[in-house]
Amino acid sequence: MDDDAKLIEFEAKIKRGEKIEPKDWMPERYRKQLIRMMSQHAHSEIVGMLPEGNWITRAPTLRRKMGLIAKVQDEAGHGLYLYSATETLGIGRDEMVDQLLEGKAKYSNIFNYPSLTWADMGVIGWFVDGAAIVNQTMLARSSYGPYSRAMLRICAEENFHKKQGYEIAATLALGTQAQKEMVQNAVDRYWWPSLMMFGPSDKDSPNTPLLMKWKIKRKSNDDLRQRFIDLTIPQAQRIDLTIPDPDLKLNKKTGHWEFGKINWDEFYEVIRGNGPCNKERMTARRKAHFDGEWVRIAAEEYAKKRKTNHSNNN
Ligand code: BYC
């Protein structure tokens, strides 16, 4: 079969709702888009450990500390599933990590903001994991088999994270005046960057048309952002927190919340590397990579030794 015929068969398969698996033929652009998106996603999980890791030693109770450690550990696990799933597309983990450390690969805008108070642990779980679930529930139906299966596992765990975050936020919101102010302040700082997590508006999103055509993405950035807003506002109302948007209005006809203008200049500055914490995050990741070198060498030597022993015994 020539490439044109293969493309027709590939697209027919996607239309029938069948998954594309690693050994199946796929157009180069499909492979490249998946590597871009999945490796960014993996990096986001790993960099995303930093703002929360910052609060493990300062969690207010042992129960909170255990919950936060478990969440951060889950994020490491998600990064590993996603690096493995991306490796099925023919790129090595080393190469992906190099791209991150050299500043060539992106990771989610949201992790370039500081975690200033304990309330941020609640609001990150509630908004950031909440946004991730909305996005990733859609990606669990992605056309690429390894990505969609990784998403199923990840979403199950993100649900715990979101509930844990909302419970922290609710406890503070119903607490003392100082606690209520602390959580309101976290909501004020994290609301708009969380909306930016869904990416630029559809009209400014260069990758969406192809991703949707090949069912890598099943819904557009704007549709997912709207869903997140519609789900989150009643949750904020229930615990008497104010969303920092004076233009929020429920459209009774459509059932959707209308919202104010997103500051896209801020978004592009952050993803170009000029957000409040970009440099700090990359310095931390480079240091972790450098400090971990002896572990990688030891693991490689051990694997070599096992291989030699195995062939000597046969
Ligand atoms: N941040 O054409 P567009 C988590 C870039 S972590 C940074 O709309 P696309 C968690 C985009 O890459 C959640 N950059 O792109 C972890 C593109 O630039 P390039 C992470 C962004 O791919 C720890 C350009 O802007 N989730 O769950 O169609 C603790 C134009 O955008 C962002 C994922 O990564 C952004 N927010 O749509 C707690 C999910 N948005 O690459 C929680 C997988 C856009 O052309 N990814 N850009 O140079 C996706 O669903 C999609 O890639 C996006 C963007 C919706 C993010």
Side-chain angles (χ1 to χ4, degrees), residues 36-37 40-41 44-45 48 52 71 75 106-109 111 128-129 132 135-136 139 147 158 196-200 205-208 211 217 221 267 271:
R36 178 189 67 83
M37 202 169 132
Q40 282 179 13
H41 194 165
S44 301
E45 297 283 355
E52 294 174 304
K71 179 178 195 284
E75 280 148 14
K106 292 191 170 72
Y107 59 89
S108 182
N109 68 301
F111 302 118
V128 176
D129 288 79
N135 187 14
Q136 291 167 190
L139 292 173
Y147 197 27
E158 303 280 32
M196 294 172 197
M197 282 178 72
F198 295 94
S205 165
N207 297 298
T208 294
L211 292 174
K217 264 166 60 165
N221 299 359
F267 170 78
I271 69 168

Side-chain angles (χ1 to χ4, degrees), residues 28-89:
E28 198 48 23
R29 287 180 75 197
Y30 180 84
R31 197 178 72 83
K32 288 227 164 88
Q33 277 286 355
L34 278 169
I35 291 177
R36 178 189 67 83
M37 202 169 132
M38 291 167 67
S39 66
Q40 282 179 13
H41 194 165
H43 301 325
S44 301
E45 297 283 355
I46 299 299
V47 179
M49 295 163 74
L50 294 168
E52 294 174 304
N54 182 32
W55 277 90
I56 290 174
T57 55
R58 292 177 286 167
T61 65
L62 184 58
R63 174 172 169 258
R64 293 296 190 206
K65 193 193 287 276
M66 284 164 58
L68 187 59
I69 290 173
K71 179 178 195 284
V72 173
Q73 184 179 302
D74 283 352
E75 280 148 14
H78 298 171
L80 299 187
Y81 304 151
L82 286 163
Y83 283 129
S84 298
T86 317
E87 282 181 315
T88 63
L89 292 155

Side-chain angles (χ1 to χ4, degrees), residues 140-206:
R141 295 189 297 116
S142 155
S143 58
Y144 189 54
Y147 197 27
S148 74
R149 289 189 288 274
M151 285 300 111
L152 285 177
R153 286 186 71 158
I154 291 176
C155 282
E157 293 175 355
E158 303 280 32
N159 266 307
F160 282 105
H161 299 170
K162 192 206 149 186
K163 283 179 189 157
Q164 169 170 283
Y166 188 61
E167 199 243 342
I168 293 172
T171 304
L172 295 171
L174 304 172
T176 64
Q177 187 58 27
Q179 287 173 322
K180 184 164 181 172
E181 281 166 17
M182 182 166 67
V183 68
Q184 181 61 56
N185 176 277
V187 166
D188 293 348
R189 285 181 289 108
Y190 271 95
W191 175 251
W192 291 104
S194 299
L195 299 190
M196 294 172 197
M197 282 178 72
F198 295 94
S201 294
D202 296 349
K203 64 179 179 25
D204 298 317
S205 165

